[in-house]
Amino acid sequence: MTTNGTKSNGHTALDFKSFSNTINGKLVGTKKTQHNINPSTLEANPEVPIVSEEEVNEAVNYAIAAGEKWAEVPVKERQAAVVKFADALASYKDDFASMLTKEQGKPLMFAKMEVDSGVQWLKTQAAIEFPEETVEESDERVVVTRYTALGVAVAIVPWNFPIQLACGKIAPALIAGNALILKPSPFTPYCGLKLGELAQHFFPPGVVQALSGDDSLGPILTAHPGIDKVSFTGSTATGKRVMESCSKTLKRVTLELGGKDPAIICSDVDIKATAPKIAQLALLNSGQICIAIKRIYIHASIYDEFLAAMVEAVKSFAIGDGFKEGVYMGPIQNKMQFERVKGFLEELKEKKLDLAVGGDMKTVSDVGKGYFVTPTIVNNPPDDSRIVTEEPFGPIFPVLKWETEDEVVRRANDTLMGLGASVWTQNLETASRLAKKMKAGNVWVNTHLELQPNAAFGGHKQSGLGAEWGLQGLKSYCNAQTLYLRKK
Ligand code: NAD
């Protein structure tokens, strides 16, 4: 950064004080505005626009025109532009991270890691080879399948990973030759709007637009006849509404939805090393991760010892404002979600389920006035209790006892969700046998939550439809077109 407010690569520096929509290359404010609340302090963050339906229509028209030209730009140039955009994001790492902690609540260390992931998700997807496929080459004819841009894509992003999930959609949409409209969650609009603003330095007007609105914006976009594709990440309930709305115009749709990931802990694990890891993976981002561990099946022979080691680990995690040094868990991101998590806790107490640790709300005197919840482990609740069947999306999870492989596989798969699953054992044969039986889109052995931008990511069952990232993700922003070229 230079002192005159410009970045060293020449473009005007972003400020993180005022926030606008980006429409056709221009920053646009609105008369009506809203703001979110910093979930750690309950103080108001800056105002953001509430886009009108008229402006949405304008943005879509600009996107249609810009998309047609962008699709003509050679793919190498589109990839190079995405890489430059990624470099610019990296140069603003501290600003984005600090805004992310203010709007989302996650500890600054993890906010910085999210910016790094955003950069990585942009760059790695820009490096994926995207060739035409020759299906047949004979004396008579050539048959080639190529992948062409759809037109205008919309990225609908939730509030748990506003930067990484946006970047995960921006890269493939643009590389495939589409224009993109980014719609951040009204709970976390700030970083998404700044990504839109920053993108203007690397893409022609109308290719990337970012719109902040109220709850009517998502449905307006999914119903809009000028939009060709919706990539949605959010809850399963909303995903179903998105699909229903998209069906009216047969929009292409990718859905990344909720999860209820099981982790199966076998009897031969190193308890001291594994138990704290499992607790960390269940409580990262205060449990607000689609692929967080949400059910822990521990073999009966080590159950008590493993649970005790987890409880010890959980008690050591510092909770508090994300700007405080050493904090591992921030608050729940918004009031609505906080009330939902509280509802789970109240029900656990009503049903007199055994809590191995936690069960209370952190109070003002403990950590501040934000939406804080103490991490809570529910000890061996019935399989049909809500904490086992539903996703609380907060720092509460059940541990369950298992005895035979057939039984644990059946119980782990006994859910409408199918996003992730993991198996923990030193015996790789057991690991492979159990892992292959998991009905989930992402299966890990001796780890969980490890993702990479060049591998397809998607959920089975009601955890999603289609996949993002990797070559499969790129193709999801395209039409397949097969050319049958007869030589004579
Ligand atoms: P949500 O479904 O409430 O909202 C997600 C986004 O959809 C927001 O931008 C919201 O404004 C928008 N939206 C709301 N109603 C809409 C409608 N009718 N039409 C179009 N858009 C609409 O989800 P959330 O509470 O923000 O996120 C938490 C959920 O997301 C959890 O269930 C979590 O598991 C899931 N999630 C899934 C993944 C994944 O990749 N599978 C990743 C992160 C989060």
Side-chain angles (χ1 to χ4, degrees):
M1 178 89 70
T2 61
T3 46
N4 63 1
T6 57
K7 295 289 280 186
S8 49
N9 63 0
H11 63 74
T12 313
L14 295 184
D15 81 70
F16 282 75
K17 294 194 180 87
S18 59
F19 295 83
S20 309
N21 288 333
T22 305
I23 300 178
N24 197 33
K26 296 195 178 68
L27 296 181
V28 181
T30 53
K31 264 195 214 125
K32 263 172 63 185
T33 59
Q34 61 192 6
H35 60 257
N36 96 342
I37 301 283
N38 177 333
S40 290
T41 62
L42 304 193
E43 282 160 13
N45 278 321
E47 294 297 307
V48 292
I50 302 180
V51 73
S52 67
E53 188 159 4
E54 219 182 334
E55 285 169 313
V56 175
N57 292 336
E58 283 171 21
V60 173
N61 286 336
Y62 287 126
I64 293 170
E68 275 172 21
K69 289 195 193 139
W70 181 243
E72 297 299 319
V73 173
V75 66
K76 289 273 171 231
E77 285 177 36
R78 299 197 300 250
Q79 288 169 324
V82 169
V83 171
K84 281 190 188 146
F85 173 55
D87 286 335
L89 173 58
S91 75
Y92 281 107
K93 176 172 168 176
D94 288 345
D95 300 289
F96 270 98
S98 147
M99 190 66 240
L100 185 57
T101 295
K102 262 186 230 156
E103 68 171 319
Q104 205 285 335
K106 66 185 64 187
L108 190 58
M109 164 181 72
F110 294 123
K112 286 183 181 173
M113 284 163 67
E114 184 172 339
V115 180
D116 289 340
S117 309
V119 172
Q120 190 197 355
W121 255 249
L122 289 167
K123 282 194 171 178
T124 306
Q125 291 187 92
I128 295 172
E129 283 290 327
F130 193 29
E132 297 183 349
E133 291 163 14
T134 303
V135 181
E136 182 185 321
E137 183 145 26
S138 61
D139 290 344
E140 287 82 37
R141 62 178 196 164
V142 178
V143 180
V144 174
T145 300
R146 58 196 287 265
Y147 294 92
T148 60
L150 292 167
V152 179
V154 163
I156 301 183
V157 178
W159 47 256
N160 60 346
F161 285 85
I163 296 178
Q164 189 200 0
L165 294 174
C167 290
K169 297 178 194 296
I170 292 170
L174 299 188
I175 291 160
N178 301 282
L180 180 86
I181 296 175
L182 174 64
K183 191 204 95 57
S185 165
F187 290 118
T188 52
Y190 301 93
C191 289
L193 289 177
K194 284 296 154 188
L195 284 174
E197 196 177 326
L198 185 61
Q200 303 317 304
H201 301 284
F202 307 96
F203 306 101
V207 171
V208 181
Q209 303 181 94
L211 302 179
S212 144
D214 57 21
D215 289 344
S216 66
L217 177 56
I220 291 174
L221 290 168
T222 57
H224 203 293
I227 288 165
D228 304 285
K229 153 100 194 187
V230 172
S231 174
F232 170 84
T233 302
S235 63
T236 298
T238 311
K240 289 178 184 176
R241 286 197 281 277
V242 167
M243 191 165 166
E244 189 182 359
S245 173
C246 288
S247 75
K248 309 264 163 52
T249 46
L250 281 185
K251 285 181 185 61
R252 278 55 179 155
V253 53
T254 303
L255 302 175
E256 299 290 358
L257 309 176
K260 191 67 185 165
D261 290 13
I264 298 178
I265 318 294
C266 297
S267 56
D268 65 347
V269 294
D270 175 342
I271 296 175
K272 279 215 165 68
T274 311
K277 259 192 230 164
I278 297 282
Q280 275 172 6
L281 289 166
L283 294 171
L284 197 65
N285 214 35
S286 301
Q288 302 165 113
I289 305 187
C290 52
I291 47 162
I293 295 177
K294 297 191 179 117
R295 290 174 292 151
I296 301 169
Y297 292 92
I298 306 171
H299 192 266
S301 62
I302 56 162
Y303 186 89
D304 292 338
E305 204 185 331
F306 197 92
L307 176 56
M310 275 179 65
V311 167
E312 204 185 319
V314 163
K315 282 184 179 161
S316 73
F317 298 158
I319 309 169
D321 188 319
F323 285 107
K324 245 198 218 156
E325 194 73 25
V327 161
Y328 182 74
M329 290 175 56
I332 299 296
Q333 196 279 324
N334 60 69
K335 181 146 198 308
M336 204 168 83
Q337 186 60 27
F338 184 57
E339 295 301 330
R340 179 175 159 78
V341 173
K342 275 192 341 199
F344 269 89
L345 289 177
E346 276 152 23
E347 195 177 314
L348 293 172
K349 285 179 191 160
E350 240 168 61
K351 298 238 153 99
K352 301 200 167 36
L353 293 176
D354 181 33
L355 306 184
V357 66
D360 56 342
M361 303 293 146
K362 280 281 172 184
T363 57
V364 180
S365 56
D366 290 317
V367 282
K369 54 186 169 177
Y371 302 133
F372 296 101
V373 176
T374 310
T376 301
I377 305 182
V378 191
N379 181 10
N380 212 21
D383 278 358
D384 63 355
S385 51
R386 201 155 77 95
I387 191 64
V388 182
T389 59
E390 283 185 31
E391 179 188 42
F393 223 55
I396 318 174
F397 58 85
V399 292
L400 303 133
K401 212 178 267 186
W402 68 276
E403 289 185 16
T404 69
E405 276 190 21
D406 286 351
E407 167 223 328
V408 76
V409 166
R410 179 183 51 73
R411 291 166 73 198
N413 285 331
D414 185 18
T415 163
L416 294 175
M417 302 292 120
L419 197 53
S422 58
V423 179
W424 298 71
T425 171
Q426 298 188 33
N427 182 330
L428 291 185
E429 256 172 55
T430 307
S432 162
R433 192 171 58 246
L434 290 177
K436 285 181 187 153
K437 289 185 178 162
M438 292 296 103
K439 293 186 176 154
N442 308 276
V443 182
W444 296 273
V445 169
N446 294 325
T447 185
H448 203 107
L449 250 171
E450 275 180 27
L451 296 173
Q452 58 192 67
N454 49 2
F457 173 69
H460 293 189
K461 300 191 265 183
Q462 295 195 20
S463 283
L465 186 83
E468 291 206 294
W469 314 337
L471 185 56
Q472 200 177 336
L474 268 176
K475 286 181 181 174
S476 76
Y477 285 89
C478 299
N479 278 314
Q481 181 185 60
T482 300
L483 303 174
Y484 297 86
L485 308 167
R486 201 159 263 291
K487 290 180 178 168
K488 42 188 178 243

